[in-house]
Amino acid sequence: MPKLRLLLCCLALLFLTAPAMAEEDELAPGFDRCMEQSGGVTTEMLGCLQQAYEYWDARLNTNYKKAR
């Protein structure tokens, strides 16, 4: 449950900053397509958000290891 809470907090921050992002920018590779294919179904949309989270988590971990 703590991971879900963290995910939801991160996603809330992303949605708050989304208007500042350029329209052509995508949250993560394939995110826009995934959301379009979700058909507005919440569980499907959460799956898309989980994929985006995993993408950025992996990038963060890779860059953190390089920085160390």
Side-chain angles (χ1 to χ4, degrees), residues 26-58:
E26 193 171 27
L27 181 61
F31 179 76
D32 291 345
R33 185 173 19 90
C34 184
M35 290 297 278
E36 288 172 9
Q37 293 175 348
S38 72
V41 178
T42 303
T43 55
E44 298 293 323
M45 294 168 70
L46 288 173
C48 298
L49 292 168
Q50 180 64 35
Q51 290 174 4
Y53 171 82
E54 290 170 2
Y55 169 79
W56 285 107
D57 185 52

